[in-house]
């Protein structure tokens, strides 16, 4: 472990020295700037899942929409079930990226699990909110611009459209972000 840490330190120091002298380094950009803290640590980062996982997430999205369309009670229940499944899949996707500590200390394990669950909920829930908000404000913006509002944004389809867009945001988060 000490050999790995010293090699990492050597790479980081040579990259930092080259960067301070204005020279370029042959080390990749991710490693070269690893000593800099990101401006917004909480923001979603691009991380494309494997193709089969993207297809599974798309299938979950399509099934939840179909179920919400056929539901005689409320379209939000199937959409929230789809959100829950996408949240669990996002948590599973983050497990290798944010592993549990190798200690038996319950406090550290709980802290690590809480951070991963918070990250998963932040990405999936945040993109749900953003996509839903965009579609929810779309009729007002179109009316203000004196553009004809599409039928799917009027009447009883409005709530359904907002939910579908929100779940699409969750699917995008679970498939393409970390």
């Amino acid at each position: 472990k000490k050999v790995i840490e010293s090699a990492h330190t050597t790479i980081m120091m040579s990259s930092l020295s080259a960067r301070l002298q204005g020279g370029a380094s042959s080390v990749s950009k991710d490693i070269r700037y690893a000593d800099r803290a990101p401006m917004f640590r909480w923001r979603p980062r691009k991380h494309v899942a494997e193709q089969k996982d993207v297809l599974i997430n798309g299938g979950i999205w399509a099934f939840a929409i179909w179920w919400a369309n056929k539901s005689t009670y409320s379209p939000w229940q199937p959409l929230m079930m789809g959100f829950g499944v996408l949240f669990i899949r996002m948590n599973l996707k983050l497990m290798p990226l944010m592993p549990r500590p190798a200690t038996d200390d319950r406090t550290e394990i709980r802290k690590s699990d809480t951070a991963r669950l918070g990250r998963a909920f932040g990405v999936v829930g945040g993109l749900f909110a953003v996509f839903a908000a965009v579609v929810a404000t779309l009729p007002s913006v179109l009316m203000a611009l004196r553009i004809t509002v599409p039928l799917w944004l009027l009447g009883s389809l409005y709530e359904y459209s907002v939910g579908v867009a929100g779940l699409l945001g969750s699917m995008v988060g679970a498939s393409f972000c970390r």
Side-chain angles (χ1 to χ4, degrees):
K1 186 173 181 175
K2 287 191 175 220
V3 174
I4 294 172
E5 288 178 1
S6 66
H8 181 265
T9 303
T10 304
I11 291 171
M12 294 297 291
M13 291 307 293
S14 66
S15 174
L16 179 62
S17 300
R19 197 167 66 235
L20 290 175
Q21 294 172 358
S25 176
S26 63
V27 180
S28 75
K29 188 176 179 180
D30 293 336
I31 297 172
R32 190 179 329 147
Y33 296 106
D35 60 333
R36 290 186 181 174
M39 186 176 270
F40 301 106
R41 305 185 106 201
W42 49 265
R43 72 171 170 78
R45 291 175 189 81
K46 182 181 175 187
H47 183 90
V48 180
E50 294 180 20
Q51 183 180 6
K52 68 175 181 124
D53 289 330
V54 173
L55 293 173
I56 290 170
N57 291 343
I60 292 167
W61 178 75
F63 177 75
I65 291 170
W66 173 81
W67 184 18
N69 192 27
K70 297 294 181 189
S71 176
T72 58
Y73 184 66
S74 170
W76 282 100
Q77 287 177 339
L79 295 175
M80 290 299 107
M81 182 66 76
F83 174 84
V85 172
L86 290 169
F87 166 67
I88 291 169
R89 289 191 52 80
M90 180 68 179
N91 186 43
L92 293 174
K93 178 182 173 182
L94 289 176
M95 279 186 173
L97 301 171
M98 300 173 75
R100 281 184 165 183
T103 180
D104 289 337
D105 184 19
R106 285 199 170 293
T107 308
E108 289 295 318
I109 292 172
R110 197 170 289 132
K111 184 179 175 184
S112 170
D113 288 347
T114 302
R116 187 179 58 251
L117 286 170
R119 178 85 184 162
F121 186 80
V123 171
V124 173
L127 288 174
F128 184 99
V130 167
F131 278 54
V134 167
V135 172
T137 57
L138 196 57
S140 301
V141 171
L142 292 176
M143 285 182 210
L145 297 173
R146 299 186 187 276
I147 298 173
T148 306
V149 179
L151 184 62
W152 54 272
L153 279 176
L154 297 173
S156 63
L157 291 177
Y158 173 73
E159 181 181 335
Y160 179 72
S161 301
V162 170
V164 167
L167 194 60
L168 176 66
S170 295
M171 194 271 299
V172 166
S175 298
F176 303 109
C177 297
R178 70 174 172 103

